[in-house]
Amino acid sequence: MAAAEILLDIDQLALRVGERWLCCAFSQQLRAGEVLVLLGPNGAGKTTLLRTLAGLAPPAAGALSIAGRAVADWPPRELARLRGYLPQQQPDLFPSSVLETVLVGRHPHLGRWGWEGEQDVAVAEAALRETGMLDFAARDVQTLSGGERQRVAIAALLAQAPRLMLLDEPTNHLDLHHQISTLELLRTRAEAGCAVVTVLHDINLAARLADHVVLFDGRGRVLAGPRDEVLRADVLEQAFSQPMDCIEHAGRRIFVPR
């Protein structure tokens, strides 16, 4: 059986902000069907790396390609159809309905002067259904709770239908039920042929979702590799400066602060 397509290729990438190196050079590939989780303490560089992967910030060193093509060589509209990015915050400066907000995800698929059609509305409604927000379609987005707004943002990303999904803390503001349903949704998209990169803060959610992990230690070092090689109690202790225990339960490894 042929290997799945490499949708993201990170080659000796290093990041720097000012005079501070966020991470040393590391390499990682991500194929269709796989999930990569970015993990580490606050301020370590996870969001900077995600923005770099999205083509929104240049790396200090190394090369980055999406679907076999350097990020800088992709025309913006084509890249927007292939790669979708969910930032941490979604400012709503003007009132709009939930459906109108999700339809923004369809813009890369429209012509320069095009308007959303019935098919675009159907895609947006399907995305709202997947996130449990279809009943809110007519609501003003400014009246939503933080968790509801986050689910709308995820729906907009789904409506964009990218093959490479980049998400910065998608479980932010979500209760436990919606955290798990969001992880399951991302896994379903990966199984359908997407590649997913996501920032998470919860180690156990990362262990539940990830195929691969990039672990920042906050001191400029990074460990990248398969989930079970990176997510070990001794490694996590060094990254988070917190003693950890690993418990085996129902076929899962659970990490508990000591």
Side-chain angles (χ1 to χ4, degrees):
M1 183 176 179
E5 179 185 4
I6 297 172
L7 290 179
L8 180 65
D9 191 357
I10 303 169
D11 184 20
Q12 292 298 301
L13 197 74
L15 302 176
R16 184 173 65 184
V17 174
E19 297 303 314
R20 179 191 173 201
W21 287 91
L22 296 176
C23 70
C24 56
F26 75 99
S27 299
Q28 179 70 50
Q29 290 183 336
L30 190 66
R31 297 180 180 274
E34 295 180 331
V35 178
L36 171 65
V37 171
L38 311 183
L39 191 65
N42 292 337
K46 302 181 296 296
T47 292
T48 301
L49 175 57
L50 198 71
R51 284 177 49 81
T52 302
L53 299 182
L56 302 177
L64 174 66
S65 63
I66 294 178
R69 190 174 180 181
V71 174
D73 293 341
W74 280 97
R77 182 176 293 275
E78 290 185 38
L79 184 60
R81 292 172 180 164
L82 177 64
R83 176 271 294 135
Y85 172 61
L86 176 73
Q88 284 187 31
Q89 305 292 334
Q90 295 82 38
D92 298 307
L93 303 179
F94 304 100
S96 63
S97 73
V98 164
L99 179 59
E100 289 169 337
T101 301
V102 174
L103 279 169
V104 171
R106 299 302 300 162
H107 287 184
H109 303 277
L110 304 179
R112 182 180 297 273
W113 307 110
W115 289 88
E116 302 91 344
E118 292 183 3
Q119 181 60 34
D120 298 300
V121 172
V123 171
E125 289 178 341
L128 285 169
R129 187 177 296 107
E130 286 187 87
T131 57
M133 292 297 293
L134 183 58
D135 289 344
F136 293 73
R139 276 272 297 272
D140 185 336
V141 72
Q142 294 180 325
T143 69
L144 300 178
S145 71
E148 291 166 346
R149 182 63 183 88
Q150 184 73 344
R151 288 153 62 196
V152 169
I154 294 169
L157 181 66
L158 298 180
Q160 186 178 340
R163 296 180 62 204
L164 176 62
M165 302 174 66
L166 308 174
L167 305 96
D168 198 349
E169 299 186 43
T171 57
N172 194 23
H173 300 301
L174 300 184
D175 57 33
L176 180 60
H177 169 72
H178 288 111
Q179 287 180 11
I180 299 303
S181 63
T182 295
L183 297 189
E184 291 174 346
L185 179 56
L186 295 179
R187 173 54 65 185
T188 297
R189 285 294 168 125
E191 291 173 351
C194 294
V196 177
V197 183
T198 182
V199 173
L200 293 175
H201 277 292
D202 189 304
I203 296 170
N204 292 310
L205 292 182
R208 183 185 185 105
L209 177 66
D211 297 302
H212 307 279
V213 175
V214 173
L215 176 64
F216 292 77
D217 71 356
R219 297 179 291 276
R221 294 186 295 270
V222 164
L223 180 61
R227 175 195 61 198
D228 292 341
E229 293 182 10
V230 177
L231 296 186
R232 305 195 318 263
D234 59 327
V235 175
L236 293 169
E237 285 183 1
Q238 293 296 316
F240 289 97
S241 302
Q242 171 64 48
M244 305 287 294
D245 289 319
C246 180
I247 300 170
E248 299 280 347
H249 176 70
R252 296 183 185 275
R253 293 192 301 170
I254 300 171
F255 297 94
V256 181
R258 190 181 308 154

